[in-house]
Amino acid sequence: MIDWSVEGDRCVALLRDLIRIPTVNRGTGEAGDANERVAAERLAETMREAGLEPKLIEKKKDRTNMVVRVKGDGSRPPLLLNAHLDVVEADAGAWRHDPFGAEIHDGYIWGRGAIDMKNMAAMSAIVMTLLAREKETLKRDVIFAAVADEEAGCALGSIHLADDHPDEVRAEYMLGEIGAFSQHLFGRTFYPIQVAEKGVCWVRATYVGEPGHGSMPDPDSAVVRLARAVERLGSRRLPMHPIAVVRDFIERVAKELPSPQKHVLKRLTTPQVAALILDHLVKDPGQQRSFGAMLANTASPTVLRAGSKVNVIPGRATVDIDGRTLPGQSEAAFLEELREALGGDPQLEVLRSLPAVETSPDTALYRHLAATVQKHDPTGHPVPYMIPGFTDAKAYARLGTASYGFAPVKFDPMDEISFSRMYHGHDERIPVDGVKWGVRVLYDAVSGFCRV
Ligand SMILES: [Zn+2]
């Protein structure tokens, strides 16, 4: 028998230890950045105490990944648990409590990584120790990868593991970011489970014009045309494409809502009116942005470059654009939409592109995850959803691994804080009871699925 009050406390203690190790990824890609080694070693120590044999794997010094396995009988392929150990920066002055102190106030553990995603690292570690200790007869190996460098694009973390150490992490399914946290909408509780994530298409658009002297203004200079293009892009939406996974999400959420929200939401799935509904009937700007990102490819202008001397009109001006593509949308189709939105006939150069990933919710594992959440919160509604960002799921997709976002946390429905706003935000924190709930749900989900 597992004593959940003891295991919950262990999980909380481990999470607090991990938060106190400041694995801040500044995105330099260098050996000294983030320094995930200390956190990886902390986890490895917990694994060794449970009789497991963790491996520390690095592509660059101190950018450490920890991988560990509990063996099953091999009759079914492995299940992988994944959490990244790096975190984004925290501006301590803007926080109410030390972002690396892991202090407990008002029932919450405060600190960078509490949600994104040292909670999953701590929960997975505890689950591994329980699987080892309970000597359960598992049909699948369970692998736990605690990885480096996710916040800067995964090159030293999950991509390194998938490309250079595939046998350490090869699995049929992965559970990781982002999902199974409770979200409250109009008095109902939902548990989104990530089944898809958008692709990335970073583009540089270049405008060329006649160079000239600053004393002779040119209304068609590269800089002026670039500025017009950026304004156009910022003020219009790309065309709406309500893809199946998003329609399914919206319909399942709408079903539980009262009128009139139910009807407003449902109409978002009709491409002809979606933009209208979004702009005029969805009042909350946060919801507007998040539904907008679900229903279309998006393009954010982020870096502008032109000129170097105040009295010279430069002959070229560029804007870098962070493009995100829906599953099923080709890069060519996205570039066509982008060209149309920018106007002015720019040269487009793709700087980086990563495909979208999608896993069907019509699997035994998805149904098991949803049932497990409901067992632990009978008032909650699990719903499959797509995230606009990207996660380590992209790296494992290269090995054919299907991923779900499943890092369970329960928030108090009365609490004002929203999960998504704490991602990379100030005052990131997680309810102590929500972590204890989460580790139990994760254990049930993993052991239940891997025993059969
Ligand atoms: Zn994350």
Side-chain angles (χ1 to χ4, degrees):
M1 269 305 271
I2 297 172
D3 181 340
W4 282 109
S5 85
V6 171
E7 301 308 329
D9 288 345
R10 278 179 72 213
C11 189
V12 166
L14 179 55
L15 171 56
R16 295 179 74 193
D17 278 1
L18 291 174
I19 290 172
R20 291 191 193 107
I21 303 166
T23 48
V24 177
N25 191 343
R26 293 181 175 82
T28 65
E30 294 307 315
D33 200 18
N35 191 2
E36 291 92 347
R37 172 163 278 274
V38 186
E41 279 177 347
R42 174 69 187 82
L43 288 171
E45 170 194 312
T46 301
M47 296 300 100
R48 282 188 212 103
E49 283 164 12
L52 297 170
E53 293 169 15
K55 294 184 184 170
L56 299 179
I57 300 172
E58 291 176 347
K59 182 168 184 174
K60 258 196 190 141
K61 189 172 176 301
D62 295 337
R63 304 305 308 272
T64 316
N65 302 280
M66 195 259 349
V67 183
V68 67
R69 180 181 299 250
V70 174
K71 296 287 276 177
D73 69 12
S75 59
R76 309 275 274 154
L79 172 76
L80 170 66
L81 302 175
N82 182 79
H84 63 82
L85 291 176
D86 58 326
V87 296
V88 295
E89 288 177 87
D91 171 8
W95 283 55
R96 274 188 272 165
H97 302 290
D98 177 3
F100 301 101
E103 295 168 25
I104 296 182
H105 298 279
D106 315 318
Y108 285 83
I109 305 163
W110 293 64
R112 181 56 89 216
I115 288 287
D116 182 15
M117 60 174 312
K118 287 175 170 172
N119 59 325
M120 182 61 173
M123 292 192 301
S124 301
I126 299 299
V127 167
M128 296 301 279
T129 65
L130 291 174
L131 292 174
R133 193 181 73 200
E134 300 296 305
K135 305 226 177 331
E136 291 206 34
T137 24
L138 300 173
K139 293 209 162 25
R140 298 171 186 268
D141 287 7
V142 180
I143 308 166
F144 168 35
V147 301
D149 202 32
E150 192 271 350
E151 297 291 0
C154 314
L156 307 176
S158 54
I159 290 179
H160 174 55
L161 294 179
D163 287 357
D164 303 327
H165 302 273
D167 294 339
E168 299 294 341
V169 290
R170 196 185 310 278
E172 182 178 15
Y173 288 111
M174 185 274 269
L175 300 181
E177 273 187 307
I178 295 172
F181 51 89
S182 59
Q183 273 217 320
H184 310 287
L185 207 58
F186 302 109
R188 309 290 192 277
T189 301
F190 296 93
Y191 287 88
I193 295 173
Q194 176 186 328
V195 299
E197 63 185 47
K198 281 177 125 174
V200 171
C201 186
W202 291 343
V203 179
R204 177 163 299 160
T206 302
Y207 288 83
V208 261
E210 274 302 307
H213 197 278
S215 64
M216 302 287 283
D218 174 1
D220 249 346
S221 75
V223 169
V224 173
R225 291 171 55 225
L226 174 93
R228 277 192 217 117
V230 170
E231 203 285 325
R232 275 169 63 93
L233 184 62
S235 58
R236 66 182 57 195
R237 294 183 186 286
L238 299 184
M240 294 285 169
H241 307 287
I243 59 171
V245 54
V246 173
R247 283 202 310 272
D248 185 34
F249 167 76
I250 290 176
E251 278 158 14
R252 289 192 202 213
V253 171
K255 195 160 70 84
E256 306 301 332
L257 295 186
S259 299
Q261 287 88 355
K262 177 198 286 285
H263 306 291
V264 170
L265 211 58
K266 270 189 185 158
R267 301 198 65 190
L268 284 177
T269 60
T270 313
Q272 295 79 5
V273 296
L276 214 65
I277 300 275
L278 210 51
D279 292 337
H280 298 285
L281 294 178
V282 177
K283 298 278 185 272
D284 178 81
Q287 282 182 12
Q288 227 175 45
R289 267 201 296 274
S290 73
F291 281 114
M294 274 187 230
L295 290 163
N297 300 320
T298 59
S300 295
T302 50
V303 182
L304 304 179
R305 288 190 192 87
S308 58
K309 222 165 163 291
V310 70
N311 61 346
V312 176
I313 295 174
R316 43 188 289 132
T318 66
V319 51
D320 290 354
I321 296 162
D322 181 352
R324 305 295 174 124
T325 54
L326 291 164
Q329 289 277 308
S330 72
E331 190 173 293
F334 168 68
L335 292 176
E336 214 28 68
E337 291 183 357
L338 184 61
R339 186 177 289 284
E340 174 71 27
L342 285 165
D345 200 24
Q347 298 163 9
L348 298 183
E349 176 198 353
V350 174
L351 303 175
R352 186 170 192 198
S353 93
L354 296 167
V357 296
E358 193 174 4
T359 304
S360 168
D362 189 15
T363 64
L365 176 55
Y366 182 88
R367 285 186 288 276
H368 173 67
L369 296 176
T372 306
V373 165
Q374 275 202 305
K375 183 181 129 199
H376 288 271
D377 183 356
T379 64
H381 304 280
V383 284
Y385 91 130
M386 179 191 73
I387 64 153
F390 73 88
T391 72
D392 291 310
K394 282 208 189 344
Y396 298 120
R398 298 173 179 206
L399 301 176
T401 304
S403 294
Y404 291 120
F406 197 83
V409 192
K410 191 175 170 191
F411 288 91
D412 187 332
M414 299 314 286
D415 207 313
E416 288 297 297
I417 59 169
S418 115
F419 175 86
S420 52
R421 233 176 291 156
M422 279 193 293
Y423 256 72
H424 300 188
H426 303 319
D427 290 338
E428 184 177 344
R429 59 198 187 275
I430 191 167
V432 174
D433 290 343
V435 178
K436 294 180 177 176
W437 179 88
V439 68
R440 217 171 154 166
V441 173
L442 187 64
Y443 177 79
D444 274 6
V446 172
S447 74
F449 182 66
C450 294
R451 262 188 269 123
V452 292

Short mmCIF file of all heavy atoms in Angstrom, two decimals, residues 111-151:
data_model
loop_
_atom_site.label_atom_id
_atom_site.label_comp_id
_atom_site.label_asym_id
_atom_site.label_seq_id
_atom_site.Cartn_x
_atom_site.Cartn_y
_atom_site.Cartn_z
N GLY A 111 7.78 29.95 -7.11
CA GLY A 111 9.10 29.92 -7.74
C GLY A 111 9.05 29.63 -9.21
O GLY A 111 8.10 29.03 -9.72
N ARG A 112 10.10 30.07 -9.89
CA ARG A 112 10.23 29.83 -11.32
C ARG A 112 10.37 28.32 -11.55
O ARG A 112 11.21 27.67 -10.90
CB ARG A 112 11.47 30.58 -11.84
CG ARG A 112 11.72 30.44 -13.30
CD ARG A 112 10.53 30.86 -14.17
NE ARG A 112 10.53 32.25 -14.54
CZ ARG A 112 9.39 32.96 -14.63
NH1 ARG A 112 8.21 32.43 -14.34
NH2 ARG A 112 9.44 34.20 -15.02
N GLY A 113 9.54 27.78 -12.40
CA GLY A 113 9.56 26.35 -12.69
C GLY A 113 8.51 25.56 -11.91
O GLY A 113 8.34 24.37 -12.14
N ALA A 114 7.78 26.25 -11.02
CA ALA A 114 6.77 25.54 -10.21
C ALA A 114 5.74 24.86 -11.11
O ALA A 114 5.26 23.76 -10.82
CB ALA A 114 6.08 26.53 -9.26
N ILE A 115 5.41 25.53 -12.23
CA ILE A 115 4.44 25.03 -13.19
C ILE A 115 5.14 24.58 -14.47
O ILE A 115 4.74 23.62 -15.12
CB ILE A 115 3.44 26.17 -13.55
CG1 ILE A 115 2.50 26.45 -12.38
CG2 ILE A 115 2.66 25.87 -14.80
CD1 ILE A 115 1.46 25.38 -12.18
N ASP A 116 6.19 25.28 -14.83
CA ASP A 116 6.86 25.07 -16.14
C ASP A 116 8.32 24.78 -15.93
O ASP A 116 9.14 25.69 -15.99
CB ASP A 116 6.66 26.33 -17.00
CG ASP A 116 7.28 26.19 -18.38
OD1 ASP A 116 7.60 25.06 -18.77
OD2 ASP A 116 7.47 27.22 -19.05
N MET A 117 8.67 23.47 -15.72
CA MET A 117 7.79 22.39 -15.38
C MET A 117 8.47 21.43 -14.44
O MET A 117 8.50 20.23 -14.63
CB MET A 117 7.30 21.67 -16.66
CG MET A 117 8.40 21.08 -17.47
SD MET A 117 7.88 20.05 -18.91
CE MET A 117 6.64 18.95 -18.34
N LYS A 118 9.07 22.03 -13.39
CA LYS A 118 9.75 21.20 -12.40
C LYS A 118 8.74 20.36 -11.61
O LYS A 118 9.11 19.35 -11.01
CB LYS A 118 10.61 22.07 -11.50
CG LYS A 118 11.87 22.56 -12.26
CD LYS A 118 12.72 23.52 -11.48
CE LYS A 118 14.05 23.72 -12.22
NZ LYS A 118 14.86 24.79 -11.62
N ASN A 119 7.48 20.79 -11.62
CA ASN A 119 6.44 19.97 -10.98
C ASN A 119 6.39 18.59 -11.63
O ASN A 119 6.33 17.56 -10.96
CB ASN A 119 5.08 20.67 -11.07
CG ASN A 119 4.63 20.95 -12.49
OD1 ASN A 119 5.45 21.25 -13.36
ND2 ASN A 119 3.34 20.86 -12.76
N MET A 120 6.43 18.57 -12.97
CA MET A 120 6.38 17.29 -13.69
C MET A 120 7.66 16.48 -13.44
O MET A 120 7.61 15.26 -13.32
CB MET A 120 6.18 17.53 -15.19
CG MET A 120 6.07 16.27 -16.03
SD MET A 120 4.65 15.21 -15.57
CE MET A 120 4.75 13.98 -16.90
N ALA A 121 8.79 17.16 -13.32
CA ALA A 121 10.04 16.45 -13.02
C ALA A 121 9.94 15.77 -11.66
O ALA A 121 10.29 14.59 -11.50
CB ALA A 121 11.22 17.43 -13.06
N ALA A 122 9.44 16.50 -10.67
CA ALA A 122 9.33 15.94 -9.32
C ALA A 122 8.30 14.81 -9.28
O ALA A 122 8.55 13.74 -8.71
CB ALA A 122 8.95 17.04 -8.32
N MET A 123 7.15 15.03 -9.92
CA MET A 123 6.11 13.99 -9.91
C MET A 123 6.60 12.72 -10.61
O MET A 123 6.39 11.61 -10.12
CB MET A 123 4.84 14.50 -10.60
CG MET A 123 4.14 15.61 -9.84
SD MET A 123 2.48 15.95 -10.47
CE MET A 123 2.79 16.40 -12.17
N SER A 124 7.25 12.90 -11.76
CA SER A 124 7.73 11.73 -12.51
C SER A 124 8.76 10.96 -11.69
O SER A 124 8.76 9.72 -11.69
CB SER A 124 8.36 12.17 -13.84
OG SER A 124 7.43 12.86 -14.62
N ALA A 125 9.64 11.71 -11.01
CA ALA A 125 10.67 11.05 -10.19
C ALA A 125 10.01 10.21 -9.10
O ALA A 125 10.40 9.05 -8.87
CB ALA A 125 11.61 12.09 -9.58
N ILE A 126 9.01 10.76 -8.45
CA ILE A 126 8.33 10.01 -7.38
C ILE A 126 7.62 8.78 -7.97
O ILE A 126 7.68 7.67 -7.41
CB ILE A 126 7.34 10.91 -6.61
CG1 ILE A 126 8.06 12.08 -5.95
CG2 ILE A 126 6.54 10.09 -5.58
CD1 ILE A 126 9.13 11.71 -4.93
N VAL A 127 6.97 8.96 -9.11
CA VAL A 127 6.30 7.82 -9.76
C VAL A 127 7.31 6.71 -10.07
O VAL A 127 7.04 5.53 -9.82
CB VAL A 127 5.57 8.28 -11.06
CG1 VAL A 127 5.16 7.09 -11.90
CG2 VAL A 127 4.36 9.14 -10.70
N MET A 128 8.49 7.09 -10.55
CA MET A 128 9.51 6.08 -10.86
C MET A 128 9.92 5.32 -9.60
O MET A 128 10.07 4.09 -9.61
CB MET A 128 10.75 6.73 -11.48
CG MET A 128 10.52 7.39 -12.83
SD MET A 128 9.90 6.30 -14.11
CE MET A 128 11.39 5.48 -14.66
N THR A 129 10.10 6.06 -8.49
CA THR A 129 10.53 5.37 -7.27
C THR A 129 9.43 4.42 -6.77
O THR A 129 9.71 3.35 -6.25
CB THR A 129 10.89 6.37 -6.13
OG1 THR A 129 9.70 7.08 -5.75
CG2 THR A 129 11.95 7.35 -6.56
N LEU A 130 8.17 4.82 -6.97
CA LEU A 130 7.06 3.95 -6.53
C LEU A 130 6.97 2.71 -7.42
O LEU A 130 6.74 1.60 -6.93
CB LEU A 130 5.75 4.73 -6.56
CG LEU A 130 5.62 5.83 -5.51
CD1 LEU A 130 4.34 6.63 -5.73
CD2 LEU A 130 5.65 5.23 -4.11
N LEU A 131 7.15 2.89 -8.72
CA LEU A 131 7.10 1.73 -9.61
C LEU A 131 8.21 0.75 -9.25
O LEU A 131 8.02 -0.47 -9.27
CB LEU A 131 7.27 2.17 -11.08
CG LEU A 131 6.12 3.00 -11.68
CD1 LEU A 131 6.49 3.48 -13.08
CD2 LEU A 131 4.81 2.22 -11.72
N ALA A 132 9.38 1.29 -8.91
CA ALA A 132 10.52 0.44 -8.54
C ALA A 132 10.24 -0.28 -7.22
O ALA A 132 10.48 -1.48 -7.09
CB ALA A 132 11.78 1.28 -8.43
N ARG A 133 9.68 0.44 -6.28
CA ARG A 133 9.49 -0.11 -4.94
C ARG A 133 8.34 -1.11 -4.89
O ARG A 133 8.43 -2.15 -4.25
CB ARG A 133 9.22 1.04 -3.98
CG ARG A 133 9.32 0.63 -2.53
CD ARG A 133 9.02 1.79 -1.63
NE ARG A 133 7.60 2.13 -1.64
CZ ARG A 133 7.10 3.31 -1.26
NH1 ARG A 133 7.92 4.27 -0.87
NH2 ARG A 133 5.81 3.53 -1.26
N GLU A 134 7.25 -0.79 -5.58
CA GLU A 134 6.07 -1.65 -5.52
C GLU A 134 6.26 -2.94 -6.30
O GLU A 134 5.44 -3.84 -6.26
CB GLU A 134 4.83 -0.91 -6.03
CG GLU A 134 4.47 0.34 -5.25
CD GLU A 134 4.08 0.05 -3.81
OE1 GLU A 134 3.16 -0.75 -3.60
OE2 GLU A 134 4.71 0.61 -2.89
N LYS A 135 7.33 -3.00 -7.07
CA LYS A 135 7.63 -4.16 -7.91
C LYS A 135 6.39 -4.61 -8.69
O LYS A 135 6.03 -5.78 -8.72
CB LYS A 135 8.18 -5.34 -7.09
CG LYS A 135 9.40 -4.99 -6.25
CD LYS A 135 10.46 -6.05 -6.39
CE LYS A 135 11.76 -5.79 -5.64
NZ LYS A 135 12.16 -4.42 -5.41
N GLU A 136 5.75 -3.64 -9.28
CA GLU A 136 4.57 -3.95 -10.09
C GLU A 136 4.99 -4.74 -11.32
O GLU A 136 6.08 -4.54 -11.84
CB GLU A 136 3.90 -2.65 -10.54
CG GLU A 136 3.28 -1.92 -9.38
CD GLU A 136 2.14 -1.04 -9.87
OE1 GLU A 136 1.46 -1.44 -10.83
OE2 GLU A 136 1.95 0.03 -9.28
N THR A 137 4.12 -5.63 -11.76
CA THR A 137 4.42 -6.32 -13.01
C THR A 137 3.96 -5.45 -14.16
O THR A 137 2.77 -5.29 -14.39
CB THR A 137 3.71 -7.68 -13.08
OG1 THR A 137 2.57 -7.61 -12.24
CG2 THR A 137 4.61 -8.81 -12.66
N LEU A 138 4.93 -4.86 -14.82
CA LEU A 138 4.63 -3.94 -15.90
C LEU A 138 4.84 -4.63 -17.25
O LEU A 138 5.81 -5.37 -17.42
CB LEU A 138 5.55 -2.71 -15.82
CG LEU A 138 5.46 -1.89 -14.53
CD1 LEU A 138 6.55 -0.82 -14.54
CD2 LEU A 138 4.08 -1.26 -14.38
N LYS A 139 3.93 -4.36 -18.17
CA LYS A 139 4.10 -4.90 -19.52
C LYS A 139 5.01 -3.99 -20.35
O LYS A 139 5.58 -4.39 -21.35
CB LYS A 139 2.74 -5.04 -20.19
CG LYS A 139 1.86 -6.11 -19.55
CD LYS A 139 0.92 -6.69 -20.57
CE LYS A 139 0.29 -8.02 -20.21
NZ LYS A 139 0.16 -8.35 -18.80
N ARG A 140 5.12 -2.73 -19.91
CA ARG A 140 5.95 -1.77 -20.62
C ARG A 140 7.07 -1.29 -19.73
O ARG A 140 6.88 -1.10 -18.53
CB ARG A 140 5.11 -0.53 -20.98
CG ARG A 140 3.95 -0.79 -21.90
CD ARG A 140 3.09 0.47 -21.98
NE ARG A 140 1.87 0.21 -22.74
CZ ARG A 140 1.75 0.41 -24.06
NH1 ARG A 140 2.77 0.89 -24.75
NH2 ARG A 140 0.63 0.13 -24.68
N ASP A 141 8.24 -1.01 -20.34
CA ASP A 141 9.24 -0.23 -19.62
C ASP A 141 8.65 1.16 -19.42
O ASP A 141 7.96 1.67 -20.29
CB ASP A 141 10.51 -0.04 -20.47
CG ASP A 141 11.34 -1.31 -20.60
OD1 ASP A 141 10.88 -2.37 -20.15
OD2 ASP A 141 12.44 -1.22 -21.19
N VAL A 142 8.95 1.75 -18.28
CA VAL A 142 8.63 3.17 -18.09
C VAL A 142 9.96 3.92 -18.05
O VAL A 142 10.85 3.58 -17.26
CB VAL A 142 7.82 3.41 -16.81
CG1 VAL A 142 7.52 4.91 -16.66
CG2 VAL A 142 6.52 2.60 -16.83
N ILE A 143 10.10 4.90 -18.93
CA ILE A 143 11.33 5.70 -19.01
C ILE A 143 11.01 7.09 -18.50
O ILE A 143 9.93 7.62 -18.76
CB ILE A 143 11.83 5.81 -20.47
CG1 ILE A 143 11.93 4.43 -21.12
CG2 ILE A 143 13.16 6.54 -20.55
CD1 ILE A 143 12.09 4.49 -22.64
N PHE A 144 11.93 7.68 -17.78
CA PHE A 144 11.77 9.08 -17.36
C PHE A 144 12.96 9.86 -17.90
O PHE A 144 14.11 9.52 -17.60
CB PHE A 144 11.68 9.17 -15.84
CG PHE A 144 11.80 10.56 -15.26
CD1 PHE A 144 11.28 11.69 -15.92
CD2 PHE A 144 12.43 10.75 -14.03
CE1 PHE A 144 11.41 12.96 -15.38
CE2 PHE A 144 12.55 12.02 -13.48
CZ PHE A 144 12.05 13.13 -14.16
N ALA A 145 12.69 10.88 -18.71
CA ALA A 145 13.76 11.75 -19.22
C ALA A 145 13.55 13.14 -18.64
O ALA A 145 12.50 13.75 -18.80
CB ALA A 145 13.73 11.81 -20.74
N ALA A 146 14.56 13.62 -17.91
CA ALA A 146 14.55 15.01 -17.42
C ALA A 146 15.57 15.73 -18.28
O ALA A 146 16.76 15.42 -18.24
CB ALA A 146 14.94 15.06 -15.95
N VAL A 147 15.11 16.66 -19.10
CA VAL A 147 15.95 17.16 -20.18
C VAL A 147 16.36 18.61 -20.02
O VAL A 147 15.70 19.40 -19.33
CB VAL A 147 15.26 16.96 -21.56
CG1 VAL A 147 14.95 15.49 -21.79
CG2 VAL A 147 14.00 17.80 -21.68
N ALA A 148 17.43 18.96 -20.70
CA ALA A 148 17.96 20.32 -20.73
C ALA A 148 17.35 21.10 -21.89
O ALA A 148 16.72 20.52 -22.78
CB ALA A 148 19.48 20.26 -20.90
N ASP A 149 17.49 22.41 -21.83
CA ASP A 149 17.43 23.27 -23.03
C ASP A 149 16.11 23.37 -23.78
O ASP A 149 16.10 23.79 -24.93
CB ASP A 149 18.53 22.79 -24.02
CG ASP A 149 18.93 23.88 -25.01
OD1 ASP A 149 18.88 25.07 -24.63
OD2 ASP A 149 19.29 23.55 -26.15
N GLU A 150 14.99 23.04 -23.14
CA GLU A 150 13.72 23.14 -23.88
C GLU A 150 13.38 24.59 -24.18
O GLU A 150 12.87 24.91 -25.26
CB GLU A 150 12.59 22.50 -23.06
CG GLU A 150 11.30 22.30 -23.86
CD GLU A 150 10.34 23.47 -23.83
OE1 GLU A 150 10.53 24.41 -23.03
OE2 GLU A 150 9.37 23.45 -24.61
N GLU A 151 13.69 25.47 -23.24
CA GLU A 151 13.27 26.87 -23.40
C GLU A 151 14.05 27.58 -24.52
O GLU A 151 13.70 28.69 -24.90
CB GLU A 151 13.43 27.63 -22.07
CG GLU A 151 12.55 27.09 -20.94
CD GLU A 151 11.04 27.34 -21.14
OE1 GLU A 151 10.67 27.94 -22.17
OE2 GLU A 151 10.27 26.92 -20.27
#
